[in-house]
Amino acid sequence: GAGAAGAAIASLRRELQELSVLLAAQLPAVVWESARWRRQVLEAVEEAAVRGCWRVLAELYAAREAESVSRLAELCHALRTVLPLDLRLPRALCAMPPEVFSDRAALEAMRLADLSDTRLPYASAIRTLRTLLHVRTAREKARVLLEVCEEVASGAQHSASLHEAASGGGSDGERGAPCLGAEDLLPITVYVVLRSRVAVLPSELELVAELLPSELAGGREGYALTTMQCACHVLLRTPFSQGLLEACGAEAEAGAGPAGAALGDGGRGDPALSYSVSL
């Protein structure tokens, strides 16, 4: 529960503090008096300590976040064939060939594609997020989250650029690469979370937030962590996921499977209907 998880983190921090005192007494003064060397030594010790007890901590946090983990597992299973167009993303950000939108067989094949299939939109980001469970420290996990966010951003930028070029939007040579904001990238991140099926993501994010060093929490890694937390919030704490479930369910009953049409835009991915959420 919450008490056990909090007690474990507090105990770990006390042990690390006591260890730093011992190191200060044992290490040569020339090492301890150098801010850079002292920081490197403490980081190495902290990494080793956290790595050694990560499994226990992860289990405690998974128990604390059991409701969120269970809910996300249900959503990932129910929406296991979701595509970006189901989230009412504009076509320019769906990272899908234009012909797929009007080819039901090709669309169905893309829905059923596994992570090794290059046809799956944002497959690289999805595969990267699945590696989160293979690393054992907050630093390493934060780097994975940052890589996921970077791959989402670069994939969206590439998709938008291709769409603009295909539509002749960049033919005058005056337009640069499309400018994308958080409101564009968040629904893509939600899609990546769903297709990754990392159900324990809520507990992993909580544990990373507890242990991530302050110098990283205030940087790009911290921004990536917040982005992933927002994506989980959208799925677990807003009406969005229920609406998507109901829409996809209604479409499935009609024999078409989940599609953009289920969300009322006829599958067009109209930019005016792009998803946004107020947190």
Side-chain angles (χ1 to χ4, degrees):
I9 291 293
S11 177
L12 176 61
R13 286 176 173 157
R14 285 195 302 271
E15 294 295 332
L16 288 172
Q17 183 60 38
E18 293 175 4
L19 187 54
S20 69
V21 173
L22 292 175
L23 287 171
Q26 296 295 324
L27 289 174
V30 66
V31 173
W32 203 249
E33 291 172 1
S34 167
R36 180 171 62 86
W37 288 357
R38 182 172 66 250
R39 184 179 65 253
Q40 290 177 348
V41 168
L42 291 176
E43 285 179 0
V45 170
E46 180 180 343
E47 292 282 286
V50 172
R51 188 185 301 275
C53 62
W54 187 272
R55 185 178 298 277
V56 174
L57 293 173
E59 290 176 355
L60 288 171
Y61 270 75
R64 191 182 82 169
E65 302 296 325
E67 182 178 347
S68 294
V69 169
S70 177
R71 175 59 176 162
L72 184 56
E74 292 174 357
L75 288 170
C76 287
H77 177 73
L79 299 171
R80 59 191 177 279
T81 60
V82 71
L83 289 175
L85 60 87
D86 300 317
L87 277 66
R88 302 177 76 171
L89 279 162
R91 284 191 177 189
L93 299 182
C94 284
M96 297 162 58
E99 62 272 14
V100 170
F101 292 93
S102 57
D103 187 334
R104 184 167 293 279
L107 191 62
E108 183 63 19
M110 186 172 289
R111 291 191 181 285
L112 300 177
D114 61 32
L115 299 186
S116 63
D117 195 324
T118 57
R119 292 175 299 176
L120 185 66
Y122 300 97
S124 178
I126 296 168
R127 289 195 296 268
T128 297
L129 184 54
R130 288 177 62 84
T131 69
L132 188 70
L133 302 181
H134 303 313
V135 293
R136 290 288 181 268
T137 70
R139 289 175 184 273
E140 292 170 335
K141 289 178 183 289
R143 292 188 189 108
V144 169
L145 299 178
L146 176 58
E147 187 176 350
V148 170
C149 290
E150 289 176 340
E151 288 175 346
V152 165
S154 63
Q157 192 73 64
H158 181 66
S159 178
S161 296
L162 289 178
H163 181 83
E164 184 176 21
S167 62
S171 59
D172 57 7
E174 296 180 358
R175 298 187 182 184
C179 182
L180 303 177
E183 69 278 5
D184 301 303
L185 302 180
L186 181 58
I188 302 174
T189 307
V190 169
Y191 157 78
V192 168
V193 169
L194 285 170
R195 291 297 298 230
S196 74
R197 303 186 196 178
V198 181
V200 295
L201 186 60
S203 62
E204 289 282 307
L205 295 179
E206 287 300 308
L207 189 46
V208 172
E210 287 278 6
L211 294 175
L212 191 63
S214 58
E215 69 271 16
L216 297 182
R220 295 192 304 156
E221 290 84 355
Y223 179 82
L225 172 61
T226 300
T227 298
M228 299 304 296
Q229 288 174 321
C230 287
C232 280
H233 180 91
V234 167
L235 284 168
L236 301 173
R237 304 283 184 258
T238 74
F240 168 72
S241 59
Q242 186 59 39
L244 182 58
L245 280 170
E246 292 172 355
C248 291
E251 191 74 2
E253 289 179 2
L263 293 173
D265 65 348
R268 295 187 306 274
D270 191 327
L273 297 174
S274 60
Y275 172 73
S276 63
V277 63
S278 177
L279 297 175

